[in-house]
Amino acid sequence: MAVIVLGWTWVAWLVVLGAAADASEEIWRDAVDKGLTYQESGAAPFVLATLPVPPFLVAVFVVVGLWLHRSRRFGEEHSPRSWFSLRIAWTWLGWVVPLVSLWFPAWVVSDVWRATLRRRVAWYLFPWWGCWLLMLLLAFTAVNRLGGSAGNGVLDDRVLLMSEQYIASAVLGLFACWAWTAIVMRVRRGQLALAGGSAPDGDGAVG
């Protein structure tokens, strides 16, 4: 499924960003010695590696949002007695509204899980979200090492730690994507069971 493939693609791209940052260290070290900004430091492999990131994240938002929206509708139709903690609009808004985006997506997923599988959420759902948040924090705070979001601040030695930061983010992403795969697969199997008129499988195993 696309929602699974995109998750693993993001983790793989974090590794690519880490490798590109490592390959750019000599250029950045020279820029640090000369007191240059990121924009003045010249072309580096990291610049090319970041070009696909913005459109990719938009694709993730659209694909995951569609999957959650449709899964929520499915839960409403097949489990009309289920109690949903959030309105369906939060399947989209929960990812972008400041502050609530720190926990609303996990609530949305837990609503879908309970409505589809008719049982408590699996143990890995909330660790999944925690690792995902930490992964994003490490990945996106790396921008500050480039002299701010505009890249117009003078580089310092912190930029030389970017590679390690991206690799650490990818390690967290490995667990997050394993858990995400488990969640999507279990929900999908539950949907197929309900659509076929049988009770959803109750275990939380992957595969």
Side-chain angles (χ1 to χ4, degrees):
M1 295 177 69
V3 287
I4 294 175
V5 173
L6 286 175
W8 286 106
T9 301
W10 174 244
V11 174
W13 203 253
L14 289 174
V15 176
V16 171
L17 290 171
D22 182 67
S24 303
E25 283 189 7
E26 185 174 344
I27 294 173
W28 290 340
R29 185 175 288 108
D30 183 62
V32 170
D33 292 340
K34 295 178 179 178
L36 302 177
T37 67
Y38 174 68
Q39 295 176 341
E40 296 169 337
S41 62
F46 185 78
V47 177
L48 294 176
T50 58
L51 291 178
V53 173
F56 176 80
L57 293 179
V58 171
V60 170
F61 173 74
V62 172
V63 172
V64 173
L66 283 173
W67 181 78
L68 283 174
H69 187 92
R70 292 170 180 170
S71 295
R72 166 64 183 263
R73 285 296 189 205
F74 184 95
E76 290 174 346
E77 293 171 5
H78 290 80
S79 301
R81 296 183 180 179
S82 294
W83 180 79
F84 295 95
S85 57
L86 297 172
R87 294 184 180 275
I88 194 169
W90 289 107
T91 58
W92 297 96
L93 297 176
W95 300 90
V96 296
V97 175
L99 296 182
V100 300
S101 61
L102 294 176
W103 72 90
F104 270 30
W107 276 11
V108 169
V109 173
S110 67
D111 277 352
V112 168
W113 178 284
R114 284 191 292 265
T116 307
L117 300 174
R118 300 173 182 176
R119 68 188 300 269
R120 291 186 301 174
V121 298
W123 66 268
Y124 44 75
L125 193 147
F126 292 105
W128 152 71
W129 185 243
C131 283
W132 193 258
L133 287 178
L134 288 174
M135 179 192 69
L136 292 179
L137 178 67
L138 283 174
F140 289 110
T141 55
V143 173
N144 293 326
R145 300 187 184 278
L146 298 175
S149 58
N152 55 7
V154 175
L155 292 177
D156 57 39
D157 288 339
R158 293 179 302 165
V159 73
L160 304 179
L161 299 175
M162 280 186 61
S163 177
E164 290 79 2
Q165 189 165 345
Y166 276 114
I167 296 303
S169 181
V171 170
L172 287 168
L174 287 175
F175 174 82
C177 276
W178 171 84
W180 178 243
T181 301
I183 292 165
V184 173
M185 294 294 290
R186 287 293 299 115
V187 169
R188 178 59 178 162
R189 287 205 299 268
Q191 290 172 339
L192 291 174
L194 289 174
S198 58
D201 181 12
D203 68 58
V206 185

